[in-house]
Amino acid sequence: MIRRQLPLVALSTSLLVVLFLLQCATVSSFHIAFQSVRCEPRCHRPSDRTCLHAAADADANDEAPEKIKGDALREKTGIRPSLHPTTINALAGALKTRATDTTSVLHKSNNAQPLDVAMAGASIASNFIVKRQENSDQDGMKLTVAEEQTIAGRVVGVLVRLEDLETTLYAKAAQVGWIDKFNEWGTFGVLKGEDALDIDDVNDKVKDDPLFAMTRAECLLGLFIDTVEIPQLQKGSNGVPDDSKIDFLDEDRREILLS
């Protein structure tokens, strides 16, 4: 596989947060500002005629109550929603962008610098976070700021290390005999002989097979949390909302990727 040589840049947690907030500022800030502005009706005692008309209108236009978005039952339990689905969807979206958009900094032809990749990753993460928040705007399960930052940090972290993580992913899969014997390469989101192929071959598979892209995103995220996030967090006192739990990989993939 042809790899772009990028200079190593250490992205601190604070930089990731700044990048994320810069990308979100044009969306979230205005959304929050306008969300707090509500038009309150003036209170007057209705006349008898008004009450009769209101009752008639209600009978004539009897509509079902607005459906609550999200998981109301989960809210009552106090269990926070997993951050992984949004993160994995964002990473799969980034892989698709790399495969289909030749103008993107993620595309191999652009020789982008890590900071450019980080900005692109923050933008992709922001879009998926906004969609996630919109789906839970009435059930009390909106992501917290810390949860948003964790998702954005993971997306950016994977993308700035994408080539190294992809190389590691293939190497771990290639050393297990049964994967080749039973042609289970797709279970790990890699192609047979990928180390000798051009990235365009991977991109073609990503474009044609959404499940392949999603599986690859899962495995890359698992590797990132295990080899980058957890070791870095162990050096300091800060943590993440979900305690870096890797609960989205089945036992076979956990055994191979996290060993």
Side-chain angles (χ1 to χ4, degrees):
M1 180 186 296
I2 296 177
R3 300 178 57 197
R4 290 179 282 121
Q5 298 298 322
L6 300 179
L8 296 178
V9 174
L11 294 175
S12 65
T13 302
S14 59
L15 176 57
L16 294 180
V17 172
V18 170
L19 292 174
F20 174 64
L21 293 179
L22 284 173
Q23 293 297 323
C24 291
T26 57
V27 178
S28 300
S29 298
F30 288 107
H31 175 71
I32 294 172
F34 284 104
Q35 193 177 43
S36 62
V37 179
R38 299 182 182 277
C39 296
E40 298 294 340
R42 297 177 62 186
C43 296
H44 296 285
R45 181 178 179 180
S47 65
D48 292 340
R49 182 181 297 274
T50 301
C51 292
L52 290 174
H53 280 298
D57 290 341
D59 291 337
N61 300 288
D62 189 15
E63 297 180 355
E66 185 176 358
K67 183 178 180 180
I68 300 298
K69 297 180 181 179
D71 189 344
L73 180 60
R74 180 187 289 273
E75 179 189 9
K76 294 179 180 179
T77 67
I79 300 174
R80 296 300 302 161
S82 174
L83 308 183
H84 298 315
T86 303
T87 310
I88 292 167
N89 286 336
L91 288 173
L95 292 176
K96 184 176 181 180
T97 296
R98 181 181 69 170
T100 59
D101 186 359
T102 57
T103 65
S104 170
V105 297
L106 300 178
H107 194 270
K108 70 169 187 177
S109 63
N110 293 318
N111 296 318
Q113 297 300 308
L115 185 58
D116 296 325
V117 174
M119 292 295 290
S123 178
I124 292 171
S126 173
N127 291 335
F128 279 86
I129 288 170
V130 168
K131 292 178 182 178
R132 166 64 178 78
Q133 297 290 59
E134 289 174 348
N135 290 332
S136 291
D137 61 1
Q138 297 180 36
D139 67 356
M141 295 306 288
K142 276 183 171 294
L143 297 172
T144 65
V145 172
E147 289 170 339
E148 290 181 341
Q149 291 173 353
T150 299
I151 292 172
R154 286 172 178 168
V155 172
V156 171
V158 169
L159 293 181
V160 297
R161 299 170 178 83
L162 187 55
E163 293 182 7
D164 288 338
L165 290 172
E166 287 179 319
T167 299
T168 301
L169 173 58
Y170 176 77
K172 284 181 173 288
Q175 68 183 3
V176 180
W178 62 261
I179 293 178
D180 185 50
K181 180 178 180 180
F182 298 105
N183 194 27
E184 290 290 337
W185 298 99
T187 303
F188 294 81
V190 296
L191 299 176
K192 181 177 181 178
E194 184 174 309
D195 59 337
L197 300 176
D198 189 86
I199 190 62
D200 286 338
D201 296 302
V202 175
N203 288 340
D204 288 341
K205 184 66 173 178
V206 167
K207 287 187 289 186
D208 297 337
D209 190 346
L211 180 58
F212 177 87
M214 193 70 66
T215 303
R216 192 178 183 91
E218 288 177 342
C219 293
L220 292 171
L221 177 60
L223 284 174
F224 171 78
I225 295 176
D226 185 56
T227 63
V228 179
E229 181 176 289
I230 292 177
Q232 288 297 321
L233 291 176
Q234 289 174 343
K235 296 178 181 179
S237 58
N238 294 329
V240 290
D242 61 2
D243 297 322
S244 300
K245 293 179 181 177
I246 307 175
D247 54 7
F248 51 90
L249 296 176
D250 56 63
E251 192 58 35
D252 285 339
R253 290 190 292 174
R254 286 181 60 87
E255 181 179 346
I256 293 170
L257 297 180
L258 308 184
S259 60

